[in-house]
Amino acid sequence: MDAVLGSSIGVFVGVTVVLFGMAAHFTGQSLATGWRPAWHVLPAALLLALADRFIVFALFQAPLLSLSGFLIHGIVPLAVTATSYRMTLAQKMVRQYPWLYERAGPFAWRARNDA
């Protein structure tokens, strides 16, 4: 499992899921709050994945150039950033334009049907 992850499971959970998961969450919120387009999530998550691989390499002697490790460690920040972005954007649309939109779940909004 260490060869696939590019690090041990404990390092993956501690650094990638917890530390960089929180950073990805705040990144997604920041992008949505600043009304950035959705495609900005991808480069932001890529930078987080690069930083994650470097931290794991520098602190825990994991291989830096592990392709499978980079992909697996990159999926977590991408998923968390995209989820946080969409949830924050939906909340922001409903809160800022309550006369136009209402919540349609945690990730979406819809036009109000007021007669």
Side-chain angles (χ1 to χ4, degrees), residues 13-52:
V13 170
V15 174
T16 303
V17 175
V18 176
L19 182 66
F20 280 91
M22 288 184 351
H25 172 68
F26 292 131
T27 301
Q29 281 185 334
S30 176
L31 290 172
T33 302
W35 295 103
R36 297 287 181 200
W39 67 267
H40 283 203
V41 167
L42 188 61
L46 178 65
L47 289 174
L48 285 171
L50 289 171
D52 176 42

Side-chain angles (χ1 to χ4, degrees), residues 6 12 15 18 21 24-25 33 39 41 43 55 58 61 73-74 80-81 86 89 92 102-103 108 115:
F12 175 75
V15 174
V18 176
H25 172 68
T33 302
W39 67 267
V41 167
I55 293 295
Q61 290 80 36
H73 284 251
V80 173
T81 304
R86 188 64 184 179
L89 191 63
K92 192 170 174 69
E102 62 187 10
R103 288 299 286 255

